């Protein structure tokens, strides 16, 4: 685990390019993986490049102030009208959409390029080139040239290379954009684990909802050059904007009850209820906490627990409020699942038709049973 | 070949080597600067560098002669400091060659530099590589072909120059007489056999050099295309 990592970023960015205005002012705590989510062309890359120190020109056409807080709580200036700290002094790693490997260097030499430039007292042995190559599953490829690797492998080298520079913050600009399904899934798992192992905070730019939901601890919603909302992902998903922009994704914290690889089923507990669902990840240990995802449209509501149904998961919850959904015939039901197993009470949303709402005479305060198909759940 | 011919060959090679070395030193930062420049004056600067491609060598030689001579800005200043002016001297020849061959060094380098993907440099920057470090660790290895082409073309072009050398150097045997001016002398004195020996030497040398550049060019794709093209379309030195 690294002790050197940035804690927080304070930012004011105003930039005008043609008709596009980028205007952001915020303070971002850096913990775990923060996803920067928004449609293409909303200013995500601009923000990332500004953080990396690759956006020096902004000063002529707008304003940029950027401050960073280190692990001791000390603030320092990265950019304001008087100061500009260049990229090479920021200790911020950047993984691009393209792997951007140095074509004239072997895979190992690419990693060493980053490693040898880290001052000796800042090196973290765990992030030494050989260890990292092993960690990303490319030990045997050290002597190859980047052009001899597949796209997915190249992107793993790029990730390892960035880590080898022992950064205090890592920025990832849609690193999965050019990868296919299998390579993508592998990369996501790898990234998640590496973040947990190293403790280096990451900011992950994406316009793919599934990546964001699987990866991030915190979520920043962006639209048309401005920050809409940011905070812990489960909470942001339950806000008006979060529900609308993330298509009703819910994240629930649960405790692993049983992991039965033989049947391929995972049992987790939410409140007093046990949920079963198919899960390929066999590494989840009994008693540990895990995150599960379910979309609001995959939750149906019943007034009583059903017994004869193919839907095997039924969780009691309380109706809190109703609000509009994307379609006028639908309604978003905001629900709360009670606390249990060291997990506080959790909010989530279900999307049902207004007709069903009327038929069940649903009202705020009512207790309902959320029925979730096992195949709609995932970690 | 008479002893003066050997002197001419010696001076030619020395001139070409010194000029090429100086050119690489000057052209490297200049080409890098031009490749990164985003200014509306960029075409003007590029035109200045390319000027020797179209200007008659005698015009260039004439102005250099004026500037480097005892009455000129450079020559006059040197004399007032107790030094020699540079007209009709070897250093004067070197200055002339450097100016004359500048586009042949700058253009291949600039082309090569501008083809290095920006994200490689950005990546290096985020890995704590300072600008000079990035230049030598990323740009130079990726633009090797540009450097070789620039070097070879500068060298070959200096060997073949005539007008500028004649104007600044004055064709003094043993001092500023190079192969091309020696050939001219032979022809003036109707020594066609002597002129032929030297001419054939230059011809063979040029063929070898160009073959080398084009074979490198093939390896490097379109990297060096522009500069070779401009060499073949350039009005060759002669008495214009």
């Amino acid at each position: 685990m690294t002790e050197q990592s940035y804690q927080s970023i304070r930012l004011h960015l105003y930039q005008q390019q043609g008709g596009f205005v980028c205007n952001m002012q915020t303070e971002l705590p850096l913990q775990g993986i923060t996803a920067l989510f928004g449609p293409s062309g909303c200013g995500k890359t601009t923000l990332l490049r500004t953080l990396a120190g690759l956006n020096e020109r902004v000063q002529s056409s707008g304003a940029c102030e950027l401050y960073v807080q280190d692990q001791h709580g000390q603030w320092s200036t990265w950019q304001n009208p008087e100061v500009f700290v260049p990229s090479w002094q920021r200790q911020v790693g950047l993984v691009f959409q393209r792997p951007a490997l140095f074509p004239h260097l072997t895979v190992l030499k690419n990693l060493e390029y980053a490693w040898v430039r880290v001052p000796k007292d800042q090196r973290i042995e765990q992030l030494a080139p050989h260890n990292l190559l092993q960690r990303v599953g490319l030990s045997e490829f050290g002597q190859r040239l980047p052009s001899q690797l597949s796209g997915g492998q190249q992107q793993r080298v790029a990730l390892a290379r960035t880590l080898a520079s022992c950064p205090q913050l890592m920025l990832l600009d849609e690193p999965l954009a050019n990868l296919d399904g299998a390579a993508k899934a592998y990369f996501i798992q790898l990234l998640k684990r590496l973040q947990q192992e190293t403790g280096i905070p990451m900011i992950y730019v994406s316009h793919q909802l599934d990546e964001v939901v699987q990866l991030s601890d915190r979520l920043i919603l962006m639209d048309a050059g401005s920050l809409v909302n940011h905070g812990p992902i489960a909470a942001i998903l339950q806000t008006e904007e979060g529900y609308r922009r993330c298509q009703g994704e819910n994240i629930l914290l649960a405790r692993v009850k049983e992991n039965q690889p033989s049947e391929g089923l995972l049992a987790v507990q939410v409140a007093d209820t046990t949920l079963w669902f198919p899960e390929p990840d066999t590494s989840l240990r009994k008693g540990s906490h895990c995150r599960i995802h379910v979309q609001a449209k995959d939750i149906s509501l019943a007034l009583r627990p059903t017994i004869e149904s193919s839907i095997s998961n039924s969780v009691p919850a309380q109706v809190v409020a109703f609000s509009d959904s994307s379609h006028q015939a639908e309604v978003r039901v905001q629900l709360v699942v009670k606390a249990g197993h060291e997990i506080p009470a959790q909010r989530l949303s279900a999307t049902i038709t207004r007709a069903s709402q009327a038929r069940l005479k649903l009202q705020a305060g009512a207790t309902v049973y959320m029925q979730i198909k096992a195949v709609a759940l995932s970690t | 070949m008479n002893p003066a011919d050997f002197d001419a060959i010696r001076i030619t090679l020395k001139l070409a080597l010194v000029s090429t070395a100086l050119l690489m030193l000057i052209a490297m930062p200049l080409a890098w600067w031009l490749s990164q420049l985003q200014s509306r004056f960029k075409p003007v600067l590029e035109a200045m560098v390319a000027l020797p491609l179209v200007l008659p060598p005698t015009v260039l030689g004439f102005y250099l002669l004026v500037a480097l001579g005892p009455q000129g800005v450079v020559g006059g200043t040197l004399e007032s400091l107790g030094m020699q002016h540079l007209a009709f001297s070897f250093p004067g020849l070197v200055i002339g060659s450097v100016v004359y061959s500048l586009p042949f060094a700058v253009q291949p380098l600039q082309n090569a530099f501008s083809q290095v993907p920006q994200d490689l440099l950005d990546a290096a920057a985020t890995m704590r590589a300072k600008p000079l470090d990035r230049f030598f660790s990323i740009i130079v290895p990726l633009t090797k072909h540009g450097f070789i082409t620039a070097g070879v073309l500068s060298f070959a072009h200096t060997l073949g120059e005539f007008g500028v050398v004649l104007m600044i150097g004055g064709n003094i045997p043993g001092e500023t007489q190079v192969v091309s001016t020696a050939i001219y002398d032979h022809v003036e004195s109707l020594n066609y056999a002597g002129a032929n020996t030297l001419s054939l030497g230059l011809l063979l040398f040029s063929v070898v050099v160009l073959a080398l550049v084009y074979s490198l060019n093939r390896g490097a794709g379109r990297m060096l295309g522009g500069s070779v093209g401009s060499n073949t379309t350039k009005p060759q030195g002669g008495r214009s």
Side-chain angles (χ1 to χ4, degrees), chain B residues 225-237:
Chain B
S227 58
V228 173
S230 57
N231 185 29
T232 50
T233 53
K234 168 197 154 299
Q236 280 299 325

Side-chain angles (χ1 to χ4, degrees), chain B residues 139-212:
Chain B
I139 294 160
V140 172
L142 289 179
T143 55
K144 243 184 302 180
H145 293 288
F147 278 92
I148 295 171
T149 309
V152 171
L153 284 181
S154 305
F155 189 83
H157 191 241
T158 309
L159 283 190
E161 76 185 78
F162 178 81
V164 178
V165 204
L166 192 66
M167 296 295 281
I168 306 176
N171 202 11
I172 306 165
E175 273 185 64
T176 59
Q177 186 177 64
V178 294
V179 174
S180 60
T181 50
I183 293 169
Y184 182 69
D185 265 10
H186 284 316
V187 174
E188 290 268 87
S189 54
L190 298 177
N191 178 8
Y192 277 36
N196 188 38
T197 313
L198 290 177
S199 299
L200 203 60
L202 268 191
L203 180 68
L204 286 176
F205 185 82
S206 305
V207 168
V208 169
V209 164
L210 284 179
L212 191 72

Side-chain angles (χ1 to χ4, degrees), chain A residues 34-284:
Chain A
T34 304
L36 205 54
F37 177 68
S40 296
C42 70
K44 303 187 297 282
T45 298
T46 303
L47 176 55
L48 218 59
R49 290 183 67 82
T50 304
L51 294 179
L54 299 170
N55 201 9
E56 191 174 2
R57 283 177 209 281
V58 71
Q59 284 171 354
S60 54
S61 63
C64 179
E65 288 184 40
L66 192 55
Y67 308 90
V68 69
Q69 189 185 32
D70 65 15
Q71 73 272 23
H72 307 297
Q74 288 290 321
W75 285 94
S76 50
T77 308
W78 268 357
Q79 195 164 355
N80 68 20
E82 287 88 43
V83 180
F84 180 79
V85 177
S87 259
W88 47 271
Q89 287 178 334
R90 291 193 183 188
Q91 299 174 40
V92 168
L94 179 55
V95 179
F96 300 80
Q97 222 173 86
R98 244 169 48 92
L101 300 176
F102 304 133
H104 59 298
L105 301 177
T106 62
V107 166
L108 186 61
K109 288 260 189 290
N110 263 278
L111 267 63
E112 281 170 351
Y113 187 96
W115 179 251
V116 298
R117 285 169 174 78
V118 181
K120 289 216 165 56
D121 59 337
Q122 290 174 27
R123 288 185 186 172
I124 301 161
E125 196 47 39
Q126 182 193 2
L127 302 178
H130 278 104
N131 295 338
L132 277 171
L133 268 191
Q134 197 174 14
R135 195 65 198 74
V136 301
L138 295 170
S139 290
E140 291 127 52
F141 296 83
Q143 301 311 319
R144 302 259 188 109
L145 284 173
S147 54
Q148 296 168 305
L149 267 55
S150 73
Q153 291 170 330
Q154 288 187 26
Q155 199 57 288
R156 270 143 65 193
V157 175
L159 176 66
R161 184 180 64 173
T162 306
L163 282 165
S165 69
C166 302
Q168 300 205 38
L169 167 64
M170 256 177 80
L171 308 172
L172 300 107
D173 189 3
E174 308 206 23
L176 303 176
N178 300 318
L179 303 189
D180 58 27
K184 210 165 153 173
Y186 183 94
F187 195 92
I188 286 179
Q189 288 306 320
L190 184 66
L191 190 62
K192 238 168 141 170
R193 295 222 184 94
L194 281 169
Q195 200 287 321
Q196 283 158 8
E197 287 166 23
T198 60
I200 298 171
M202 297 182 179
I203 296 180
Y204 184 95
V205 159
S206 181
H207 64 273
Q208 296 291 328
L209 188 60
D210 57 332
E211 294 171 16
V212 168
V213 173
Q214 283 182 67
L215 267 171
S216 53
D217 304 301
R218 299 180 63 85
L219 179 62
I220 304 173
L221 291 178
M222 282 190 70
D223 193 22
S226 59
L227 300 179
V228 178
N229 216 337
H230 68 88
I233 184 162
I236 294 294
L237 290 176
Q238 298 310 320
T239 62
E240 193 71 35
E241 286 291 333
Y243 172 81
R244 197 163 60 80
R245 289 171 194 276
C246 302
Q247 291 145 37
E249 278 285 352
N250 291 299
I251 288 184
L252 274 178
L253 208 55
R255 200 178 70 118
V256 178
K257 192 178 175 192
E258 251 176 283
N259 199 351
Q260 295 181 326
S262 54
E263 288 174 44
L265 280 178
L266 179 72
V268 299
Q269 281 183 299
V270 177
D272 297 328
T273 322
T274 302
L275 302 178
W276 294 87
F277 60 96
E279 171 56 42
D281 186 356
T282 53
S283 68
L284 292 168

